[in-house]
Amino acid sequence: AQKVTQAQTEISVVEKEDVTLDCVYETRDTTYYLFWYKQPPSGELVFLIRRNSFDEQNEISGRYSWNFQKSTSSFNFTITASQVVDSAVYFCALSVYGVASGSRLTFGEGTQLTVNP
Amino acid sequence: KAGVTQTPRYLIKTRGQQVTLSCSPISGHRSVSWYQQTPGQGLQFLFEYFSETQRNKGNFPGRFSGRQFSNSRSEMNVSTLELGDSALYLCASSLGFDSTSTDTQYFGPGTRLTVL
């Protein structure tokens, strides 16, 4: 069985601060995929990034960066110079490869990020 | 390209009734998944359809069912509604190259179901 843990339920920062959202996952599968989604108040889950288990390179996209470490089973997400528009709930998710699994996502509990002006 | 669309966006039902929710995937996507989101349980997987066949199912009672049509559009049905079925129901679509693919899922805006 798969499990994703986001220990931070809520984070509140002031605009322009950097913030890191933690994600720890558990799986016995060797081929798996990790995702981050953003859920603004409108409710729609917005895809941010996907990484596969064989690619541990960190990634940067504008103010967003992701740190994937298999040794600690973590896939953390950092927002640099946060903005009010970053306020949302962020979900980390895991999917494993295989016919039985399909594209099924196992989500963490989510982290509510509030960026104050 | 248009995104995933879901109808209706909001729905109010009473206990014991049944409801059907609809999802139109992104053009060209063959896989559709459904998730339930509640404050207490978070985001939980309901089922996934690929080429009109259910290929994965979550841990939900038989009152929850779904189907997929030849144009990849999908519907989910909940019969004999209970108060605990009040939730945001999210549909997601992915390319689905073949039956083994694990693709990125793109989500619709959801249908918010309230059971009174």
Side-chain angles (χ1 to χ4, degrees), chain A residues 33 35 37 39 42-47 50 91 95-109, chain B residues 9 31 33 35 37 43 45 48 55-59 88 90 94 99-109:
Chain A
Y33 305 86
F35 303 81
Y37 286 88
Q39 187 176 42
S42 60
E44 181 173 345
L45 282 169
V46 178
F47 166 73
R50 163 192 165 115
F91 290 94
S95 180
V96 298
Y97 175 81
V99 174
S101 305
S103 297
R104 174 180 187 157
L105 289 168
T106 298
F107 284 92
E109 305 89 338
Chain B
R9 292 293 310 279
S31 173
S33 297
Y35 294 82
Q37 185 177 24
L43 276 156
F45 172 80
E48 178 185 9
R55 70 169 175 171
N56 208 345
K57 188 178 189 303
N59 188 26
L88 180 66
L90 291 161
S94 59
S99 61
T100 65
S101 59
T102 305
D103 305 310
T104 297
Q105 295 190 22
Y106 297 90
F107 285 80

Side-chain angles (χ1 to χ4, degrees), chain A residues 80-102:
Chain A
T80 303
S82 60
Q83 299 176 2
V84 173
V85 293
D86 295 327
S87 297
V89 181
Y90 290 85
F91 290 94
C92 180
L94 168 71
S95 180
V96 298
Y97 175 81
V99 174
S101 305

Side-chain angles (χ1 to χ4, degrees), chain B residues 13-20 61-65 77-86 89 113 115-116:
Chain B
K13 293 285 188 179
T14 56
R15 278 181 301 175
Q17 287 187 309
Q18 76 165 17
V19 67
T20 299
R63 299 185 297 107
F64 291 82
S65 63
N77 184 277
V78 188
S79 62
T80 319
L81 284 166
E82 300 177 359
L83 295 178
D85 297 333
S86 294
Y89 289 88
L113 172 64
V115 182
L116 304 176

Side-chain angles (χ1 to χ4, degrees), chain B residues 19-38:
Chain B
V19 67
T20 299
L21 312 182
S22 182
C23 172
S24 292
I26 293 170
S27 178
H29 284 195
R30 298 166 62 192
S31 173
V32 173
S33 297
W34 290 88
Y35 294 82
Q36 181 197 65
Q37 185 177 24
T38 60

